[in-house]
Structures are given as C-alpha cells and as structure tokens.
Amino acid sequence: MITPPVGGARRFDGLRNVVRLLLFALAAALSAAVVGVVCAYLGLLVSGIVSSLSTALWLSVGVCAAAYGLAELCGARWWVPSREWLIPRRWGRWGSPVFDILFGLFLGAGFFTINRFIGYHVLLLVCMLSRDPVKAAVLMGTFGATRAIPILALPLIGFLKHRQYDFTAAYEMHKHFTHLDRSLQSLRATVLLVIFGISLTAVLTV
C-alpha cells in the first residue's frame, strides 16, 4: 500500500508539507547511503579475501545482474530474498514529521521492508567490492532516493487529480501502481545490465 508520507493530511498545506516530503526523501537517501558505506567498510575489513576472490565475485555479480536483467525484460518475476514486512498503515495516521523520517529511514535502508529488486543485493556487493565509502554512499544514496519516488509520486498525483492528499487518494492511485511497475521493469533491467557492464569491465581489468 502506498501510504501518504504526510500522515493522511486532507489538504496539501504548502511549504509545511513540502518540507515533510523532503524529510522523507532525504531520510530514504541517507539511510541507503549509510548501508552503502557499511558495505564498503566491510569490504575494506576483509580486503585480503575480497582481493583474492575479486574476479570470481565480480563475475558472480555480472552473471546475476545479466540473468535478472533479461528476466525483467521478458516480464518474468524470479525469486528475490526479501522480508515481507510493510510499514504499518496506522503509522501514517500520526500526522507527524517523525513518521515521515521513520518511513524514509526504513524504506531507504532496503532490508527492513519488502524489496523484491535483485539490484539492491547486487549493489551491496558492488559497494563491498569497490571498498570506497564515498562511491558507495553516492551509489546507494541514489538508490534510496529513487526508491522513494513512487511513494512520493502516486499520492501527489492523487492530490492533483482529487484535490486531496489522504488515504482515499492513496488507495485510488494504488490501482495504477501495477501499470507503473510494469513500465519500471525496463528501467530495472537497464540498471541491471549497466551493472553487468561494470562487472565485466572489472573482470577484464583485474
């Protein structure tokens, strides 16, 4: 369920809600960036192992990214390790910036809530293999920000369409999420195939 990040407010209250939406998006990006940095430092911690297995690890990343990328292009849905937990709907009734921040933090981290995009796991491996905290932060921060886009976009479109910004609008717009998800399959496939290209380059230059 796409929950409005502003706690079910019935009207879009100008700058106040814009700030809260920004808090949500920034929290998602920051949370993901922290996860990326942790993976990079983990790679540094086991640098000897990563170096000795670098070719095999990059090859594994490439094969996985290519296989799942082609599956996305074909419209297939393969198994992806993921939790099934979702943000409780009642949290959205708090009407508090605390909810917006918590929602962003849980969503951006990627492993607290349901996340059936294999690219997330592949990106974590890329961060570990890079052993570069700055690059990892930028990479995962971008992932977190983009993951927040559907959560922001659908309710906002609902507000523009129905002149309200509440759970009713969110439920209505959620009906269109399936169509949006299908259109995003090509984008997910592109991301995975780009990762495949990066891993192939890494294998050839090791």
Side-chain angles (χ1 to χ4, degrees), residues 33 36-37 40 123 126-127 130-142:
V37 170
L123 287 174
V126 169
C127 289
S130 75
R131 290 169 283 177
D132 187 327
V134 175
K135 289 181 180 179
V138 172
L139 183 64
M140 289 304 296
T142 303

Side-chain angles (χ1 to χ4, degrees), residues 81-101:
S82 171
R83 294 192 64 191
E84 298 298 318
W85 186 73
L86 293 169
I87 300 292
R89 192 174 68 177
R90 64 180 181 277
W91 286 19
R93 298 196 178 102
W94 290 355
S96 165
V98 173
F99 165 74
D100 307 319
I101 294 171

Side-chain angles (χ1 to χ4, degrees), residues 6 11-23 100:
V6 293
R11 57 192 177 86
F12 196 78
D13 192 15
L15 182 61
R16 177 173 173 270
N17 279 352
V18 169
V19 169
R20 292 177 62 179
L21 290 173
L22 287 175
L23 283 175
D100 307 319

Side-chain angles (χ1 to χ4, degrees), residues 15-53:
L15 182 61
R16 177 173 173 270
N17 279 352
V18 169
V19 169
R20 292 177 62 179
L21 290 173
L22 287 175
L23 283 175
F24 163 72
L26 287 173
L30 179 62
S31 179
V34 169
V35 172
V37 170
V38 169
C39 287
Y41 276 113
L42 180 61
L44 287 170
L45 186 64
V46 293
S47 184
I49 298 175
V50 172
S51 296
S52 62
L53 297 176

Side-chain angles (χ1 to χ4, degrees), residues 22-193:
L22 287 175
L23 283 175
F24 163 72
L26 287 173
L30 179 62
S31 179
V34 169
V35 172
V37 170
V38 169
C39 287
Y41 276 113
L42 180 61
L44 287 170
L45 186 64
V46 293
S47 184
I49 298 175
V50 172
S51 296
S52 62
L53 297 176
S54 181
T55 300
L57 290 172
W58 275 116
L59 189 59
S60 299
V61 166
V63 170
C64 180
Y68 274 85
L70 292 174
E72 289 280 5
L73 285 176
C74 296
R77 284 300 182 89
W78 290 358
W79 178 80
V80 175
S82 171
R83 294 192 64 191
E84 298 298 318
W85 186 73
L86 293 169
I87 300 292
R89 192 174 68 177
R90 64 180 181 277
W91 286 19
R93 298 196 178 102
W94 290 355
S96 165
V98 173
F99 165 74
D100 307 319
I101 294 171
L102 285 176
F103 192 0
L105 291 175
F106 279 111
L107 184 80
F111 57 85
F112 288 111
T113 62
I114 188 169
N115 183 3
R116 294 202 177 102
F117 179 44
I118 193 65
Y120 170 75
H121 304 280
V122 172
L123 287 174
L124 294 184
L125 284 173
V126 169
C127 289
M128 188 182 74
L129 288 169
S130 75
R131 290 169 283 177
D132 187 327
V134 175
K135 289 181 180 179
V138 172
L139 183 64
M140 289 304 296
T142 303
F143 167 81
T146 54
R147 194 171 187 219
I149 289 175
I151 307 297
L152 293 172
L154 290 181
L156 280 173
I157 294 170
F159 166 76
L160 294 173
K161 184 177 180 180
H162 302 286
R163 307 309 301 170
Q164 64 180 7
Y165 194 82
D166 59 5
F167 285 103
T168 302
Y171 278 123
E172 179 65 27
M173 295 310 300
H174 186 60
K175 297 176 184 178
H176 303 288
F177 185 73
T178 302
H179 301 293
L180 177 64
D181 186 59
R182 287 172 185 166
S183 65
L184 287 175
Q185 279 189 310
S186 58
L187 178 59
R188 292 195 294 266
T190 301
V191 171
L192 289 168
L193 293 176

